[in-house]
Amino acid sequence: MNNGYIKLYRALMDKPIWLCSTPEQKVILVTLLMMANHDEKEWEWQGEKYHCKPGEFITSLQSIADECGTGVSMQNVRTALKRFKKYEFLTCASTSK
């Protein structure tokens, strides 16, 4: 698991991404922040080399839902990711791997 900490600014509470989010979406938002790498990571999988910079991570919808805990479904995650992209909180790249 990742070590370190994240810093949340109280100003987040005044932004539409927080004000207009459901409780599940707020849990997903904070979980995504905690899942992000805080340093560079490099690994090999199935013969291919992968690299993640700080702030990036590779995951799946199911993994995000699992990290969020009970009450958060894959559909909640899918909906939240769409909203967060609209607010330019994150960018996504989907793959079949």
Side-chain angles (χ1 to χ4, degrees):
M1 197 69 195
N2 288 332
N3 294 322
Y5 62 92
I6 62 168
K7 187 185 282 190
L8 288 176
Y9 289 95
R10 285 186 178 94
L12 174 64
M13 293 179 70
D14 298 326
K15 302 208 179 280
I17 196 169
W18 186 265
L19 293 171
C20 300
S21 289
T22 64
E24 291 84 6
Q25 289 169 345
K26 291 175 183 179
V27 168
I28 294 165
L29 186 141
V30 173
T31 301
L32 291 173
L33 289 172
M34 291 191 294
M35 290 175 74
N37 288 316
H38 65 284
D39 55 3
E40 290 192 26
K41 301 248 176 161
E42 193 174 289
W43 69 98
E44 185 179 319
W45 185 66
Q46 293 185 345
E48 282 193 54
K49 187 176 173 182
Y50 293 90
H51 180 81
C52 274
K53 297 175 188 170
E56 298 178 336
F57 61 98
I58 295 175
T59 190
S60 67
L61 295 174
Q62 187 62 57
S63 295
I64 296 169
D66 292 345
E67 286 290 327
C68 289
T70 19
V72 175
S73 67
M74 277 185 34
Q75 185 59 49
N76 293 139
V77 173
R78 216 177 274 115
T79 303
L81 293 179
K82 283 182 189 174
R83 284 191 78 249
F84 299 161
K85 280 195 266 186
K86 282 183 192 174
Y87 283 105
E88 298 179 352
F89 174 76
L90 57 80
T91 59
C92 293
S94 297
T95 76
S96 60
K97 298 179 182 179

